[in-house]
Amino acid sequence: HIILDQSRSMDYSSSEISKFEYSKLLAASFAYILIKQQDAVGLALFDEQINKLIPPKSLPSHLNILLSHMEQSKPGSKTNIAQALHYSAEGISKRGLVIVISDFMDDPQSIMGGLRHLRHKGHDIIVFHVLDPYELNFNFNERIKFIDKETGEEITTDPWHITNQYNNHFKKHCDLIKHGCGQNKIEYVPLQSNQSLDSALSELLLKRKNY
C-alpha cells in the first residue's frame, strides 16, 4: 500500500521539481518494481482526507491505472496526515507493507499516533520523508516574503533574523518523527527533492527482501 501526501505544502519547490512531483516519481517507481515482482499494490492519495483509494492488485494492467491516477493528481488542500493514516489502518484488512510518502508538515505527535495505529494492525511500515533542500538548509540571503501554501499567511523578513530559530525548530520537528519511527520499529528514510531516486529504491528493495 502506497500512501501519498498531495497536500498543498507538497507543492513547494526551490528548483525544477516540487516535493510532490518528486514524490510521484518515487511512488511510480515503487509501484513499477513491486508489480514486476508480482506483488499487489494499492494507492491512497490524501490531503485533509483520502481523495483517491485504489485497492491493491498485482496485474500488469493495474500498473497503468496507478500511474494514470498519479500523473493526473495535483496538490490539494491542507494537511491532515493522522486522519489519513487512521483511515488507512482501519481500511486495510490484510497485513502488508505500507509505504508512506510525505513532507510530514503536521503535528508530530498526531502523525506518530497514526503510524502506531498501522503498526498495531500488524503492518510493516517504511516512511519516506521528502523535503526541499531549502527547507532543510534555509538557504535564503535576501529580504524575502514567505507565504504559507496551506493558509495563505504571509511574513516578510530578513532571513538572518530567524535562521537559527528556524533551523532549531525544524531539526526538532524532523527528529521527533525520526525518533518516533525508531521507537515503533518503523523504517525512516529522509530524502531531498533534488536527490537521486537510487537510494530510496535501494531502501525499498532491502525492506521488501526482509519482509
Side-chain angles (χ1 to χ4, degrees):
H1 299 271
I2 300 172
I3 301 176
L4 176 60
D5 186 350
Q6 65 170 151
S7 60
R8 183 64 64 182
S9 67
M10 292 287 284
D11 195 32
Y12 178 70
S13 170
S14 64
S15 58
E16 306 85 28
I17 185 168
S18 69
K19 291 182 288 183
F20 187 55
E21 291 300 321
Y22 181 87
S23 296
K24 286 201 294 184
L25 286 172
L26 193 61
S29 301
F30 290 164
Y32 175 82
I33 289 171
L34 292 168
I35 286 179
K36 285 293 182 182
Q37 293 180 341
Q38 297 184 324
D39 288 314
V41 180
L43 173 68
L45 290 159
F46 75 91
D47 44 34
E48 288 183 293
Q49 59 186 7
I50 299 284
N51 297 315
K52 178 63 66 174
L53 186 60
I54 303 173
K57 293 182 181 179
S58 58
L59 299 172
S61 59
H62 186 59
L63 178 62
N64 293 331
I65 295 172
L66 295 174
L67 296 180
S68 176
H69 282 291
M70 287 185 211
E71 184 180 8
Q72 294 170 19
S73 62
K74 300 183 184 302
S77 186
K78 296 179 182 179
T79 310
N80 192 330
I81 299 172
Q83 182 170 295
L85 295 176
H86 285 303
Y87 184 91
S88 298
E90 290 300 324
I92 301 172
S93 56
K94 187 177 179 181
R95 292 182 182 182
L97 176 62
V98 176
I99 299 166
V100 184
I101 306 172
S102 174
D103 60 4
F104 293 102
M105 296 294 189
D106 206 349
D107 175 60
Q109 298 303 325
S110 298
I111 292 169
M112 291 315 306
L115 290 172
R116 282 194 296 270
H117 192 175
L118 282 164
R119 282 293 291 152
H120 179 71
K121 291 290 187 175
H123 300 294
D124 207 16
I125 307 169
I126 182 166
V127 159
F128 290 94
H129 193 175
V130 178
L131 295 169
D132 185 278
Y134 273 48
E135 291 174 324
L136 286 166
N137 304 317
F138 206 69
N139 193 22
F140 302 96
N141 50 26
E142 297 178 350
R143 188 169 181 80
I144 190 170
K145 179 191 287 185
F146 295 101
I147 303 173
D148 188 317
K149 281 186 169 288
E150 296 194 1
T151 66
E153 184 179 353
E154 299 180 5
I155 181 172
T156 301
T157 186
D158 292 306
W160 63 269
H161 280 301
I162 60 172
T163 297
N164 288 338
Q165 184 180 2
Y166 172 89
N167 286 337
N168 290 336
H169 181 80
F170 200 74
K171 183 179 185 301
K172 181 181 178 181
H173 176 86
C174 294
D175 284 347
L176 284 171
I177 297 169
K178 179 181 178 180
H179 294 154
C181 287
Q183 290 172 352
N184 291 278
K185 298 181 180 179
I186 295 167
E187 193 80 21
Y188 175 85
V189 182
L191 291 173
Q192 296 185 37
S193 55
N194 63 347
Q195 190 175 338
S196 166
L197 295 178
D198 292 353
S199 58
L201 296 175
S202 297
E203 289 286 350
L204 175 70
L205 290 171
L206 181 62
K207 188 73 171 178
R208 184 65 188 87
K209 183 178 179 180
N210 294 333
Y211 177 63

